[in-house]
Amino acid sequence: MEHEMKWYVIHTYSGYENKVMATLERKVKSMGMENVIHRILVPMEDEVDMKDGKKRIVKRKIFPGYVLVEMEVNDRSWYVVRNTPGVTGFVGSATKPTPLNEAEVKNILKTQGVDEEPKVQISVEIGEQVRITSGPFENFVATVTEINEEKGTIKGLIDMFGRETTVEVDYSQIENNLE
């Protein structure tokens, strides 16, 4: 049976998600299981909360009661996860956890800013002109106004219908050698 890394979903007591994640991360380190249990994730999203007429951004769990784990399932790793305090079980049958499919994983990781694909590194400078190579603004030339390295995007001005319009595109959608 070949072993492969897949993302699985663990069910936890509500409110224990972060505790389970922390405990598991500690266990994995102390038992030297980093090559079997890779990443542990409690997907969060920003939510605007109104309190006393003030807006606050609060982190909210997207899947309360669930923790995602990227792991290779074998007897030992299954046992370690299953016996973590706060864990009630894997999603799937009792003995055979069901992995998430690729598309689900991609979407979740994207919302968490944890992309599977390595970020495209690009050297552009503000004021430089770049050509947009894909997406709705393909073939437009944009003048870079903002670079967001964290998100891997740039904002730029394009000339559309005789007006300057700001667009935001991914590093992977631009090229900057316009010779």
Side-chain angles (χ1 to χ4, degrees):
M1 183 183 143
E2 43 48 89
H3 293 294
E4 53 181 332
M5 284 289 170
K6 282 212 181 329
W7 283 91
Y8 294 90
V9 182
I10 328 172
H11 209 210
T12 69
Y13 292 120
S14 191
Y16 276 78
E17 302 87 352
N18 294 345
K19 216 177 238 136
V20 164
M21 179 166 78
T23 306
L24 248 176
E25 283 171 348
R26 265 202 317 276
K27 273 177 144 178
V28 166
K29 270 200 182 68
S30 70
M31 297 171 79
M33 292 181 75
E34 291 91 346
N35 57 342
V36 189
I37 299 175
H38 254 211
R39 294 183 283 177
I40 304 156
L41 190 63
V42 175
M44 305 290 264
E45 65 186 357
D46 288 340
E47 190 176 68
V48 177
D49 186 35
M50 289 296 283
K51 196 167 189 177
D52 307 325
K54 288 190 183 69
K55 271 188 184 170
R56 304 184 311 157
I57 300 285
V58 290
K59 289 275 188 209
R60 193 178 69 82
K61 294 180 186 80
I62 300 175
F63 311 111
Y66 295 98
V67 175
L68 307 186
V69 183
E70 186 183 24
M71 63 185 282
E72 179 187 301
V73 172
N74 58 34
D75 292 344
R76 186 160 174 242
S77 66
W78 184 89
Y79 186 84
V80 166
V81 172
R82 193 61 198 82
N83 288 289
T84 299
V87 170
T88 56
F90 279 97
V91 170
S93 68
T95 51
K96 191 152 179 33
T98 311
L100 286 168
N101 72 40
E102 296 294 310
E104 290 173 311
V105 169
K106 267 201 172 63
N107 286 339
I108 293 168
L109 292 180
K110 210 181 188 105
T111 65
Q112 298 307 297
V114 189
D115 277 340
E116 286 289 81
E117 287 88 46
K119 285 261 187 281
V120 181
Q121 286 309 316
I122 169 169
S123 55
V124 295
E125 286 169 22
I126 289 181
E128 191 178 336
Q129 293 206 310
V130 295
R131 175 175 290 110
I132 300 173
T133 55
S134 66
F137 306 107
E138 189 173 352
N139 292 326
F140 276 94
V141 170
T143 304
V144 178
T145 56
E146 202 178 300
I147 300 165
N148 184 334
E149 287 188 357
E150 200 148 292
K151 276 169 62 185
T153 60
I154 64 122
K155 278 188 179 156
L157 290 173
I158 61 171
D159 187 8
M160 196 173 196
F161 312 125
R163 285 211 316 267
E164 284 202 320
T165 304
T166 299
V167 295
E168 184 172 5
V169 289
D170 206 85
Y171 283 176
S172 63
Q173 295 175 288
I174 59 174
E175 58 179 28
N176 60 342
N177 42 353
L178 298 185
E179 290 82 62

